[in-house]
């Protein structure tokens, strides 16, 4: 998949900052993500870390960033992501290393069917690149 397929707009990132603020949380992390993805000078390794943080915040705070994330999934997979967004965000936030098999096993433990769990995990890993 090309990098362009994973682009998130500046408006989506502005909304993420607003969602974090509305939740009464410190917006520093969301603002750092916005700066990095809006033309910041980041290495490929740093970009992967930024995208990891973006996914966690999108899952946790919703809004346009979550809509951006969900568009990469089938409708059925997106429903499972929505249903388990907070638990998935917590799991991903705690995980030092993300891997398809680890994410799949976690989702299966949440009751997600294996096919959908694998699809979700592969998509998340493709976004992180």
């Amino acid at each position: 998949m090309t990098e362009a397929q994973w682009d998130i707009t500046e408006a989506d990132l502005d909304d993420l900052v607003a969602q974090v603020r509305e939740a009464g949380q410190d917006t520093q992390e969301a603002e750092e993500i916005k700066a990095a993805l809006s033309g910041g000078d980041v290495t490929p390794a740093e970009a992967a870390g930024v995208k990891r943080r973006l996914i966690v915040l999108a899952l946790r705070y919703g809004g346009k960033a979550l809509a951006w994330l969900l568009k990469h999934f089938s409708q059925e997979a997106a429903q499972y992501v929505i249903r388990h967004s907070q638990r998935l965000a917590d799991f991903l936030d705690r995980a030092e290393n993300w891997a398809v098999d680890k994410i799949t096993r976690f989702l299966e433990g949440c009751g997600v069917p294996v096919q959908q769990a694998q699809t979700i995990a592969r998509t998340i890993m493709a976004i992180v690149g």
Side-chain angles (χ1 to χ4, degrees):
M1 300 188 175
T2 67
E3 186 67 27
Q5 289 176 295
W6 303 117
D7 284 348
I8 186 167
T9 68
E10 194 159 336
D12 296 341
L13 295 168
D14 286 338
D15 183 70
L16 179 61
V17 172
Q19 293 291 329
V20 172
R21 183 177 297 114
E22 286 176 24
Q25 301 298 313
D26 184 357
T27 62
Q28 181 178 348
E29 183 176 21
E31 290 168 353
E32 289 171 358
I33 290 168
K34 178 184 172 195
L37 294 177
S38 298
D41 188 24
V42 294
T43 67
E46 291 170 332
V50 169
K51 290 176 184 179
R52 282 175 56 141
R53 293 170 38 213
L54 171 63
I55 290 169
V56 170
L57 288 185
L59 289 167
R60 201 165 267 149
Y61 296 103
K64 292 179 181 179
L66 180 59
W68 163 83
L69 178 62
L70 293 175
K71 75 180 182 180
H72 300 294
F73 298 102
S74 68
Q75 185 174 1
E76 185 177 3
Q79 290 302 315
Y80 284 110
V81 171
I82 291 168
R83 188 174 309 143
H84 301 289
S85 64
Q86 294 302 313
R87 290 175 66 190
L88 182 55
D90 290 344
F91 170 78
L92 294 173
D93 200 22
R94 287 189 311 267
E96 285 187 36
N97 298 310
W98 290 13
V100 170
D101 61 331
K102 289 180 183 180
I103 297 168
T104 299
R105 282 194 309 272
F106 171 78
L107 290 167
E108 287 178 278
C110 293
V112 178
V114 67
Q115 184 69 24
Q116 294 303 323
Q118 288 173 341
T119 298
I120 293 165
R122 285 186 189 122
T123 302
I124 287 171
M125 292 307 296
I127 293 170
V128 172

